[in-house]
Amino acid sequence: MKSRGWFRNSALALGMAFLYVPILTMIFFSFNNSKLVTVWDSANSPTLKWYGLLFENQQILGAAWVSIKVAALTASGAVVLGTLAGLVLVRFGAFRGRAMLSAMTTAPLVMPEVITGLSLLLLFVALEQLTGWPAGRGVLTITIAHITFAMAYVTVIIQSRLAGFDDSLEEAALDLGARPARVFFSITLPLILPAIISGWLLAFTLSWDDVVIAQFVAGPSSSTLPMVIFSKVRLGVSPDINALATIMVLIVALGVVVSTLFMRRQERQRLREEQMARAGEP
Amino acid sequence: MAEKSVDRSSEYVRIEGVTRRFGDFVAVDNVSLSIYKGEIFCLLGGSGCGKTTLLRMLAGFESPTSGRILIDGQDMADTPPYERPVNMMFQSYALFPHMSVERNVAFGLEQEGLSKGEIARRVGEMLDIVKLGEFARRKPHQLSGGQRQRVALARALVKRPKLLLLDEPLGALDRKLREHTQFELINLQEQLGVTFIVVTHDQEEAMTLASRIGVMNKGQIVQVGTPVDIYEFPNSRFVADFIGSVNMFEGQLAEDEPGYVRIRCPDLEAPVFISHGISAAPDARVSVAIRPEKISMTRESPAGTENRAVGTVKEIAYMGDMSVYLVRLDSGRMVRVTIPNVERHDERIVWEERVHLSWDPSSPVVLSQ
């Protein structure tokens, strides 16, 4: 391998350290026996004590379940709305209110979360007073709030996928006798499916991460996992949080690794097949 | 370039005064055209001349701003693309990348609600016709350019349309493959008896494929005719210049008789004598167009006092089957001459030689517009 020179090597090392040392420290201390987070108890460590305690903690398990539910619902809702918005923005050309719609769908990307959260809270309260719906705040209101901002990201992903989409594919399907609805489900949808899946995953992560908006619109019995962590940390960092965070990091890392490997394998196969086709050219 | 017999009585497509505007831009300008059953009609023109817009209106992807399109006697105004008796082969082929060759071809038949067995039978038949039977299970990206082109053709033809629209059907193929495919396309068309409307910017493609050509410029049809008509009897400076290469001389009618005309061109010392009458106002400014292959070039002075010029050879391009000479006349005007290389060891004319150019009185075409 080529020597990269000391400057580049140290830049690389520093960069990696900057990114990964905090996470590694946290993982390291999650195996610490001591109740004090920063004091390493070398006599009884490493231990899985905190992991065990974690799975007995009903509050955390409950919050994790709420988070998963909210994230899955959010991702699904955001994908449907985001796909529709993306389609309208790319396909309908110029129409009255297009600039308005475009601005409104992407506003949550740049809007401070505090403001999004506050305005949604005010909306829910006003709605409840006027119509009685939504009754109180909980999983439903968090999900609606998360969909509003996650949808913006999905819209952007779908829009960029559709911008590179060959319109003649849909025209060809129409020309072959397929009605517009059929064209959407057998041509457009399968082709933008990768974008929809990555949009779903992104929306899921966004919802799973969010604490600010959830704080505003959550009810008393619907704390999400980040909310629980946040409130626990305010009373002092306890070692079981390290264990919990380590599990979350592992899940995310596993997801990223699996999807990367999967995509790389598909890419390699595509390249191989294209080479085969070129070799067989008359 | 054989002229095909086309039954003129069986009009299949009728375009009546069709105009299409995009904002201020007039893409198609008051076009009227009839296309007959069983012919290969080529719309030929440069980019932006409106040929593709016209094709898209026939397919139903655009609607005319004014005018009517009738297919088989029926007004198509309110018929969406998926109900027209027309299929189209796209320039990009538009093969569905997530479906195998087989499923691409079957897609159109599935929309008709045919039985599975019937679909499989017709798809198999069609793939055999385009010689792709062994590739049925491949995906489009596993095929070469020529194979993709044949899948696109099979997919459009399997619906047994009466009219097939082809947008630059050979544009994406390399030269060798094009020539081969052109003849395959013509054979297929004759075999299936489908009417073809082909859009192309490539005059060679139009000349070999078409039974008739419609030359388009700035949204209008400027001339319709057989390839021979268009090449030998262009009706305007644009057509003469667009199809093949031509030497154009500005001039003035000196003698205008029913049986002949004599034209004086400032660039040519001798007058141009043409052995047939033309219809133009006396003293009109006209152009005389002479094709490069219709000029003969000699070292010796030819007989006669007309239809001749003298010049010096300035450029020679040897193309194998023929050579192109650029000759500068004494008036300073450059003239293009092509000479077939009939003999291998000819004493060829070389650079800076003085040469005499002459042509037959039937060769020049007089253009007044």
Side-chain angles (χ1 to χ4, degrees):
Chain A
M1 204 167 132
K2 244 185 354 189
S3 152
R4 289 200 199 84
W6 65 269
F7 180 77
R8 285 219 230 167
N9 276 328
S10 41
L12 179 67
L14 279 172
M16 295 285 252
F18 184 76
L19 288 171
Y20 291 109
V21 165
I23 296 173
L24 290 175
T25 316
M26 182 196 73
I27 294 175
F28 181 74
F29 277 107
S30 73
F31 299 106
N32 187 2
N33 190 43
S34 165
K35 247 187 141 43
L36 297 163
V37 176
T38 49
V39 179
W40 183 253
D41 176 7
S42 51
N44 300 309
S45 301
T47 172
L48 290 174
K49 179 171 87 178
W50 302 114
Y51 290 89
L53 284 174
L54 210 56
F55 287 99
E56 286 162 22
N57 187 333
Q58 286 307 316
Q59 189 198 6
I60 284 179
L61 289 181
W65 178 234
V66 169
S67 268
I68 290 173
K69 254 196 312 199
V70 168
L73 287 171
T74 297
S76 310
V79 155
V80 172
L81 292 176
T83 304
L84 290 176
L87 274 173
V88 167
L89 286 174
V90 174
R91 283 298 152 77
F92 282 31
F95 58 90
R96 237 170 156 30
R98 184 184 189 283
M100 177 88 166
L101 177 66
S102 173
M104 290 313 285
T105 46
T106 46
L109 289 175
V110 289
M111 191 84 81
E113 289 186 322
V114 182
I115 293 176
T116 311
L118 184 64
S119 56
L120 283 164
L121 175 63
L122 293 176
L123 174 72
F124 290 141
V125 172
L127 263 181
E128 191 180 1
Q129 282 169 352
L130 284 171
T131 65
W133 183 92
R137 278 162 296 286
V139 171
L140 179 68
T141 50
I142 303 176
T143 307
I144 293 174
H146 280 181
I147 288 176
T148 28
F149 85 95
M151 178 194 137
Y153 291 85
V154 178
T155 307
V156 171
I157 292 178
I158 299 286
Q159 241 181 310
S160 64
R161 175 70 186 90
L162 282 174
F165 192 94
D166 182 3
D167 288 357
S168 61
L169 290 175
E170 289 175 351
E171 287 177 349
L174 282 174
D175 184 67
L176 291 167
R179 286 166 178 282
R182 180 72 206 274
V183 174
F184 178 76
F185 285 107
S186 25
I187 307 296
T188 318
L189 200 59
L191 289 176
I192 61 171
L193 196 62
I196 291 179
I197 290 173
S198 57
W200 195 93
L201 288 171
L202 183 66
F204 188 94
T205 338
L206 286 169
S207 162
W208 177 260
D209 276 355
D210 169 70
V211 58
V212 179
I213 294 176
Q215 291 280 15
F216 280 97
V217 296
S221 62
S222 59
S223 294
T224 61
L225 200 52
M227 285 168 69
V228 169
I229 297 176
F230 200 64
S231 62
K232 280 174 88 84
V233 169
R234 267 196 300 205
L235 305 170
V237 182
S238 64
D240 56 345
I241 295 296
N242 283 340
L244 179 60
T246 303
I247 292 175
M248 287 170 78
V249 166
L250 283 181
I251 290 172
V252 171
L254 195 72
V256 171
V257 167
V258 167
S259 68
T260 311
L261 284 180
F262 176 71
M263 270 168 19
R264 222 183 263 169
R265 222 192 56 173
Q266 277 203 320
E267 188 59 30
R268 263 209 303 275
Q269 190 178 351
R270 235 181 86 93
L271 278 176
R272 233 195 351 260
E273 283 170 349
E274 264 168 27
Q275 267 161 5
M276 251 167 55
R278 237 171 274 135
E281 206 141 342
Chain B
M1 250 180 26
E3 280 180 64
K4 286 171 207 97
S5 55
V6 164
D7 181 5
R8 293 273 158 131
S9 62
S10 56
E11 179 187 69
Y12 190 65
V13 178
R14 185 194 188 94
I15 299 168
E16 282 180 359
V18 164
T19 296
R20 170 67 191 178
R21 285 195 192 84
F22 295 105
D24 288 337
F25 177 67
V26 185
V28 173
D29 189 2
N30 194 19
V31 166
S32 294
L33 202 58
S34 289
I35 289 154
Y36 304 102
K37 216 166 252 175
E39 75 172 332
I40 301 185
F41 189 93
C42 271
L43 285 166
L44 177 63
S47 60
C49 71
K51 57 190 193 301
T52 300
T53 309
L54 191 56
L55 196 74
R56 290 173 60 80
M57 285 194 284
L58 286 167
F61 300 130
E62 308 276 357
S63 44
T65 311
S66 61
R68 290 205 305 166
I69 292 176
L70 293 103
I71 297 177
D72 211 3
Q74 294 216 301
D75 192 340
M76 287 287 126
D78 299 317
T79 314
Y82 47 89
E83 281 168 8
R84 296 194 181 200
V86 170
N87 284 108
M88 178 154 168
M89 192 181 129
F90 289 78
Q91 184 175 13
S92 63
Y93 306 149
L95 300 179
F96 307 133
H98 57 300
M99 295 182 185
S100 64
V101 167
E102 214 169 29
R103 295 232 23 234
N104 261 285
V105 178
F107 187 84
L109 298 178
E110 283 164 12
Q111 310 312 317
E112 291 176 14
L114 299 177
S115 73
K116 275 216 161 73
E118 173 74 3
I119 292 177
R121 195 180 61 74
R122 275 173 65 177
V123 169
E125 234 174 59
M126 200 64 229
L127 286 179
D128 285 342
I129 292 179
V130 296
K131 303 183 199 80
L132 280 174
E134 51 180 317
F135 300 106
R137 286 178 201 286
R138 290 229 189 151
K139 290 274 181 70
H141 67 261
Q142 293 168 291
L143 300 176
S144 70
Q147 290 165 342
R148 280 181 219 186
Q149 193 260 2
R150 301 213 297 274
V151 178
L153 193 61
R155 189 179 67 178
L157 284 175
V158 79
K159 304 249 314 174
R160 296 182 184 157
K162 299 248 176 53
L163 175 64
L164 185 68
L165 309 173
L166 301 100
D167 189 3
E168 306 271 356
L170 309 172
L173 303 180
D174 57 54
R175 205 184 157 80
K176 265 264 150 64
L177 201 55
R178 279 173 92 113
E179 224 166 79
H180 178 71
T181 315
Q182 269 170 8
F183 293 114
E184 269 191 357
L185 215 53
I186 296 174
N187 286 339
L188 210 59
Q189 190 266 346
E190 280 171 359
Q191 192 182 331
L192 302 173
V194 187
T195 307
F196 276 20
I197 298 181
V198 181
V199 152
T200 179
H201 68 276
D202 182 339
Q203 40 158 310
E204 222 175 287
E205 190 172 314
M207 298 289 241
T208 33
L209 282 178
S211 45
R212 283 193 309 149
I213 296 175
V215 183
M216 284 190 80
N217 183 34
K218 291 181 185 157
Q220 290 173 323
I221 300 260
V222 279
Q223 188 174 3
V224 178
T226 63
V228 178
D229 286 343
I230 300 268
Y231 188 79
E232 302 289 352
F233 308 102
N235 67 356
S236 61
R237 293 181 182 93
F238 175 81
V239 175
D241 201 35
F242 186 76
I243 313 285
S245 42
V246 73
N247 296 297
M248 204 97 74
F249 302 97
E250 300 301 314
Q252 202 139 20
L253 271 178
E255 276 178 66
D256 184 3
E257 298 295 329
Y260 67 91
V261 285
R262 215 170 243 118
I263 296 167
R264 289 212 163 269
C265 303
D267 283 345
L268 299 170
E269 274 174 41
V272 177
F273 176 79
I274 298 163
S275 59
H276 55 80
I278 58 160
S279 53
D283 294 330
R285 308 273 317 157
V286 291
S287 294
V288 176
I290 311 174
R291 297 278 183 200
E293 75 278 6
K294 296 199 164 57
I295 299 178
S296 55
M297 187 167 69
T298 51
R299 292 193 177 93
E300 301 80 34
S301 176
T305 54
E306 289 168 329
N307 290 349
R308 50 181 292 175
V310 182
T312 313
V313 174
K314 284 295 169 193
E315 299 283 350
I316 304 174
Y318 177 71
M319 321 266 285
D321 53 347
M322 57 165 193
S323 293
V324 179
Y325 294 80
L326 288 183
V327 177
R328 182 182 314 165
L329 302 186
D330 294 341
S331 62
R333 175 62 202 266
M334 296 300 268
V335 173
R336 190 184 169 94
V337 181
T338 52
I339 307 287
N341 294 320
V342 182
E343 294 187 42
R344 276 170 93 181
H345 305 289
D346 224 355
E347 268 196 52
R348 293 203 182 92
I349 289 168
V350 295
W351 278 270
E352 299 298 338
E353 251 190 272
R354 289 289 285 173
V355 288
H356 295 272
L357 306 180
S358 58
W359 51 87
D360 195 80
S362 66
S363 295
V365 177
V366 180
L367 302 167
S368 54
Q369 39 173 306

